[in-house]
């Protein structure tokens, strides 16, 4: 496995893969890898000849009071995991490599980029879209792999790929969960034992909404009320948003339908967690 830190080295290595006629899959990450990331790598290996992963804690997607500085960076451990999974290329640049002094061009995905996390974390999706567009240009993958856990990010990146004519396929892999329902997240490692127990309320609320929908309730206000009453059982968990939206536009629905996205973000202690489910 090659670990590359400059854009020039990464470009050359990816170009060589493409010129050899092999397909290239990209798994963009911020490191602190867990089984969810490994599932993305495995999907990439199953669908592409060669897999590249990036490890970059992207400063532009963090707000001024967010966890950029304390975001976990177990770099050696991450590289060992990726090597064990057969990743061929790891791109791990420093911030100055991706954003040299004077860099002033950003990718703004209008509309969808301002909803859900885009509304709660102004500038977040501008940072995500910008770094992912840059990675797409540097790597030139045939396919790029993202987790459904970040459903709003998926909607934003789908719009960007469509609007900017990126010649690649976005592959979205299912959310992985702990046996008790907690969605895997790099931020779970911030949780104390008691907060971790409280955090289960997010998936419980989503499950209750999905079950109520399956039982025949279509009215979004009433569905959300069932979710809020579950959330109320953990008064120390503060809801940031709980919405039922169209999965592509992220616009709120009044009547639930198959394929609708139920998305939640909540603060558990000082940690902001997100989770979602699709109504079937
Ligand atoms: O999902 C993430 O880990 C990040 O938002 C991504 C896509 C790697 C961009 O920094």
């Amino acid at each position: 496995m090659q670990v590359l830190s400059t854009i020039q080295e990464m470009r050359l290595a990816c170009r060589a893969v493409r010129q050899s006629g092999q397909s290239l899959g990209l798994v963009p990450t911020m490191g602190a890898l867990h089984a969810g990331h490994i599932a993305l790598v495995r999907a990439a290996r199953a669908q592409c000849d060669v897999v590249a992963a990036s490890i970059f804690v992207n400063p532009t997607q963090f707000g001024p009071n967010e966890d950029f500085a304390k975001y976990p960076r177990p770099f050696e451990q991450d590289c060992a995991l990726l090597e064990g999974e057969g990743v061929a290329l790891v791109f791990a640049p420093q911030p100055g490599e991706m954003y040299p002094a004077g860099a002033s061009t950003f990718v703004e995905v209008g509309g969808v980029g301002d909803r859900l996390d885009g509304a709660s974390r102004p500038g977040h999706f501008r940072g995500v879209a910008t770094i992912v567009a840059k990675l797409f240009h540097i790597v030139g993958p045939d396919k790029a792999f993202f987790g459904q856990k970040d459903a709003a990010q998926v909607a934003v990146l789908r719009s960007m790929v469509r609007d900017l004519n990126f010649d690649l396929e976005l592959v979205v892999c299912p959310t992985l969960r702990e046996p008790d329902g907690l969605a895997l997240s790099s931020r779970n490692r911030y949780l104390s034992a008691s907060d971790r127990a409280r955090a289960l309320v997010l998936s419980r609320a989503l499950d209750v909404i999905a079950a109520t929908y399956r039982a025949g309730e279509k009215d979004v206000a009433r569905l959300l009320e069932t979710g809020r009453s579950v959330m109320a059982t953990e008064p120390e968990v503060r809801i940031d948003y709980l919405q039922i939206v169209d999965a592509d536009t992220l616009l709120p629905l009044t009547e639930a339908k198959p394929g609708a996205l139920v998305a939640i973000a909540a603060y558990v202690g000082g940690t902001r967690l997100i989770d979602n489910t699709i109504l079937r």
Side-chain angles (χ1 to χ4, degrees):
M1 185 177 84
Q2 283 179 272
V3 181
L4 307 166
S5 61
T6 70
I7 292 170
Q8 177 67 4
E9 288 167 335
M10 188 64 182
R11 266 209 177 114
L12 287 175
C14 294
R15 193 174 295 156
V17 171
R18 288 196 307 275
Q19 283 173 350
S20 72
Q22 300 180 93
S23 61
L24 182 56
L26 172 65
V27 181
T29 84
M30 298 205 301
L33 303 180
H34 52 66
H37 295 108
I38 299 307
L40 299 182
V41 170
R42 290 185 182 167
R45 283 211 64 199
Q47 297 184 38
C48 302
D49 298 321
V50 176
V51 176
S54 58
I55 299 178
F56 181 63
V57 186
N58 173 35
T60 62
Q61 69 188 76
F62 289 81
N65 299 316
E66 294 184 352
D67 56 342
F68 174 69
K70 77 161 187 182
Y71 198 84
R73 291 166 170 83
F75 183 66
E76 305 299 331
Q77 207 178 308
D78 287 344
C79 286
L81 276 172
L82 294 174
E83 183 153 38
E85 292 295 328
V87 168
L89 302 170
V90 172
F91 182 45
Q94 291 300 310
E97 178 74 5
M98 296 309 277
Y99 299 108
S104 60
T105 305
F106 290 86
V107 178
E108 193 104 44
V109 181
V112 71
D114 301 321
R115 299 177 190 134
L116 298 184
D117 305 277
S120 303
R121 304 177 67 189
H124 171 65
F125 284 133
R126 179 189 199 242
V128 170
T130 301
I131 195 66
V132 173
K134 286 162 79 73
L135 291 169
F136 286 173
H137 284 306
I138 294 163
V139 173
D142 297 283
K143 298 188 182 198
F145 296 78
F146 296 90
Q148 170 64 21
K149 207 211 29 117
D150 296 295
Q153 170 169 281
V154 166
V156 167
L157 294 177
R158 275 199 202 293
S159 298
M160 181 188 82
V161 164
R162 183 198 61 211
D163 295 347
L164 298 185
N165 311 104
F166 280 100
D167 188 14
L168 54 84
E169 186 188 333
L170 279 194
V171 181
V172 181
C173 299
T175 302
L176 289 200
R177 297 180 182 279
E178 303 280 7
D180 58 10
L182 183 68
L184 297 193
S185 163
S186 302
R187 290 187 167 97
N188 289 351
R189 58 182 85 189
Y190 296 151
L191 299 170
S192 65
S194 52
D195 281 343
R196 195 202 167 287
R198 288 187 190 105
L200 296 178
V201 74
L202 276 78
S203 58
R204 279 208 308 273
L206 294 174
D207 287 349
V208 165
I209 292 175
T212 311
Y213 172 73
R214 282 197 303 273
E217 181 61 80
K218 301 279 183 303
D219 182 76
V220 161
R222 282 199 288 269
L223 287 168
L224 292 176
E225 205 32 62
T226 63
R228 277 198 210 95
S229 55
V230 174
M231 292 301 290
T233 63
E234 288 290 0
E236 286 176 51
V237 175
R238 182 166 62 82
I239 299 178
D240 176 6
Y241 64 70
L242 174 60
Q243 290 190 39
I244 300 180
V245 298
D246 179 278
D248 296 321
T249 63
L250 306 182
L251 282 169
L253 299 171
T254 49
E255 178 143 326
K257 57 179 184 186
L261 172 72
V262 188
I264 187 165
Y267 290 91
V268 184
T271 305
R272 185 177 180 278
L273 297 178
I274 58 172
D275 199 353
N276 67 79
T277 191
I278 299 281
L279 296 179
R280 312 260 177 227

